[in-house]
Amino acid sequence: MAKVTLPCIDRSTEVYKLGDPGKFEIASLNTMPRIAYAAVHVVADPVQDNNPSIDTAIDWEATINYRRYVWSLGLGVAEAMDTAQRGMGVNWQNSLELVKRSVDAANDFQHGNGGALLACGAGTDHLNPGPNVGIDDVINAYEEQCHAIESAGGRIILMASRALAVTASSPDDYLRVYERILSQVKEPVIIHWLGEMFDPALKGYWGSDDHWTAMETCLKVIAGKAEKVDGIKVSLLDSEKEIAMRNKLPAGVRMYTGDDFNFPELIAGDDTGYSDALLGIFDAIAPAASAALGAMGRQDMEEYNNILSPTLPLSRHIFQAPTQFYKTGIVFLAYLNRHQDHFLVIGGQEGARSTLHLAILFRLADKAGLFRDPEISARRMEYVMAVHGVGV
C-alpha cells in the first residue's frame, strides 16, 4: 500500500496510506447528455532560462498532449481561459499561439465516433487600461482577438474585459461593446461572466457591484443578440444566482456552469432546467467527470452522484479564497498524476498555496479515487513534502 508522510493542521505529521484508484468508465462525446468543457492549464517549461515570475515559458508539447488526453475522455477543451493563466502570466501573444496549436491538434483528433470539442477565449488583455483608453479602444481590442481566433479556425468564448471594467461609466457602455462584437462574430459565442472572486479586477462588471443588478444587464445583452449567443458561462460560485439567471435565458441559449463549488447539482438540474459545464475543476477530475456524465447518459443518477460527490470537497478546497490561485492546485494534481514531470506553474505560482493546503488537497484527491497510480503519486508527493521540510 502506498504511503507518504503529511503535515497535519496541529503541526504534527502522519503517515498517510493511500486508497485504490477509482474505476472510472470513460464516456464518449456522443453519449454525454450535457456539453462539458474542461478549462485546461498550460504546462510550464522547467528548463528555459528566464525569470519565471516575469517571463512566460511554455512546454508546448506537454501542453498540447494534455489537451489530447482531455479529448480522449470525451470532454471538450476551453482554451486560453483563466485556468491557462490568462492575464496572470500568459499574455495575448502566447494565448494566440496556444489557440493555433490547439486548433491544429483538434483538427487531427479522433476518438471513437467523435472528434474534438474546442472553444477559445477572446478578450482585450493586450490593451492596458488607462485614462487614455476609451470604449472604442475596448471594441477594437475585442475585434482584433475575435478576428485572430476565427482566422485560426477557432470558436469564441467572449471573456470579460478588465479594460472594459475600468473604462465603462454605465451599463450602457457594456451594451454598446457587446452588441458591436456580437453583431460581427461568425458563429454563436459563449459569453463569460467571471466573478471578482476569480479576478478582483472584474469587480463591478456589467456596470454594478450588485450581482443581481449586473445580471439584468447581462441578460439584456444576450436577449438583444440571442442568435449570436451559444451560451453564458457564469463563474460566481453561487448556485442561487446561476439558477435564477438560467431560468431567464432566451430559448436556445445555454447556461454553462462555472460554479466549482456546486457543479454536480447544477449539471444534474432540477424541474426548471439544467446547466451544461465549462469548469476549471474538470481539468483536475477529468476521468471522474467523464464517467459521471456517462452514468447520467445511462440515466443512472445514483452512480453519477457516487462519482462526483467525493470530488466536491476537493474542488471547494482547490478554489477556496483567494480563488485566483486555484491554478496551483490544478497543476499540482497534473504533476501527481504524471501528466507533467514537474510542479512548476506559470508566473511562479507553485508557491501560491501553503504546504498544508497541498497536503489536504492530496488527501481529498485520494479519497475521490483520482490517483491513477498511487505509488507514483505518493513518491511525487514525498518529493514535494521534502522540499517543504516535511518528513526529512
Side-chain angles (χ1 to χ4, degrees):
M1 178 180 290
K3 56 186 179 181
V4 63
T5 300
L6 297 178
C8 302
I9 196 167
D10 63 358
R11 303 181 67 85
S12 66
T13 60
E14 68 164 349
V15 177
Y16 181 81
K17 296 179 181 179
L18 283 75
D20 296 326
K23 297 179 180 179
F24 301 122
E25 184 179 343
I26 302 307
S28 71
L29 182 63
N30 297 325
T31 62
M32 292 183 181
R34 304 285 188 266
I35 297 174
Y37 288 96
V40 290
H41 73 284
V42 293
V43 182
D45 184 340
V47 295
Q48 189 173 129
D49 184 15
N50 70 348
N51 185 324
S53 64
I54 299 174
D55 305 318
T56 300
I58 297 174
D59 183 334
W60 293 110
E61 182 178 2
T63 293
I64 297 303
N65 282 341
Y66 191 74
R67 282 133 181 82
R68 293 190 180 101
Y69 166 72
V70 170
W71 285 324
S72 75
L73 301 175
L75 302 174
V77 165
E79 188 56 276
M81 301 290 289
D82 47 297
T83 308
Q85 293 293 99
R86 187 75 178 269
M88 293 186 71
V90 174
N91 61 18
W92 165 235
Q93 181 180 1
N94 283 312
S95 296
L96 181 56
E97 180 65 20
L98 184 59
V99 166
K100 290 177 178 178
R101 289 174 182 257
S102 291
V103 168
D104 288 344
N107 289 337
D108 292 338
F109 187 86
Q110 287 294 322
H111 174 59
N113 296 322
L117 186 62
L118 175 68
C120 309
T124 67
D125 46 322
H126 62 294
L127 177 66
N128 293 320
N132 296 322
V133 173
I135 293 299
D136 287 338
D137 298 306
V138 175
I139 290 172
N140 291 338
Y142 263 132
E143 288 175 339
E144 180 181 337
Q145 291 201 14
C146 288
H147 175 72
I149 290 173
E150 289 182 334
S151 297
R155 295 188 61 187
I156 291 171
I157 300 171
L158 203 58
M159 299 173 66
S161 165
R162 290 175 178 172
L164 180 55
V166 170
T167 305
S169 59
S170 71
D172 288 342
D173 286 332
Y174 288 87
L175 294 169
R176 176 186 166 195
V177 170
Y178 278 86
E179 191 280 333
R180 175 73 173 271
I181 302 305
L182 291 174
S183 69
Q184 298 178 66
V185 293
K186 294 179 181 178
E187 295 183 90
V189 307
I190 299 173
I191 295 174
H192 187 190
W193 182 3
L194 188 67
E196 63 274 13
M197 64 290 296
F198 287 89
D199 186 348
L202 296 175
K203 182 176 174 59
Y205 210 73
W206 304 113
S208 176
D209 288 342
D210 179 76
H211 288 161
W212 295 102
T213 303
M215 184 188 299
E216 294 307 313
T217 301
C218 183
L219 285 166
K220 191 173 181 180
V221 165
I222 294 170
K225 287 287 182 183
E227 74 281 2
K228 290 296 187 79
V229 181
D230 169 61
I232 170 80
K233 167 180 159 62
V234 174
S235 298
L236 298 177
L237 303 181
D238 187 319
S239 58
E240 180 186 0
K241 292 172 184 172
E242 179 174 319
I243 292 170
M245 188 174 188
R246 187 175 74 193
N247 292 338
K248 294 181 179 181
L249 290 175
V253 176
R254 297 177 179 275
M255 171 61 73
Y256 288 93
T257 185
D259 189 338
D260 302 278
F261 281 7
N262 303 290
F263 61 93
E265 65 180 83
L266 291 165
I267 295 170
D270 55 28
D271 292 340
T272 65
Y274 62 83
S275 298
D276 291 289
L278 200 165
L279 289 158
I281 193 58
F282 273 15
D283 179 307
I285 68 166
S290 175
L293 289 168
M296 178 186 284
R298 299 190 301 273
Q299 298 185 335
D300 188 346
M301 293 305 295
E302 181 178 2
E303 180 66 4
Y304 169 87
N305 287 309
N306 287 341
I307 294 170
L308 286 189
S309 291
T311 71
L312 195 53
L314 171 68
S315 186
R316 290 176 175 175
H317 180 71
I318 288 175
F319 285 82
Q320 69 180 217
T323 301
Q324 65 265 34
F325 297 124
Y326 74 88
K327 280 80 78 173
T328 301
I330 298 291
V331 174
F332 188 49
L333 275 175
Y335 165 67
L336 293 173
N337 265 324
R338 293 187 300 154
H339 293 298
Q340 55 191 77
D341 294 329
H342 57 82
F343 174 38
L344 294 176
V345 186
I346 296 293
Q349 289 191 12
E350 60 274 4
R353 294 296 201 185
S354 70
T355 307
L356 187 61
H357 178 94
L358 299 179
I360 295 171
L361 186 157
F362 184 88
R363 294 181 180 96
L364 292 173
D366 175 61
K367 293 184 188 314
L370 293 172
F371 293 135
R372 52 184 186 170
D373 188 329
E375 291 286 348
I376 289 179
S377 296
R379 192 179 313 137
R380 291 192 168 197
M381 186 63 173
E382 188 175 50
Y383 299 155
V384 173
M385 289 296 99
V387 170
H388 288 76
V390 176
V392 296

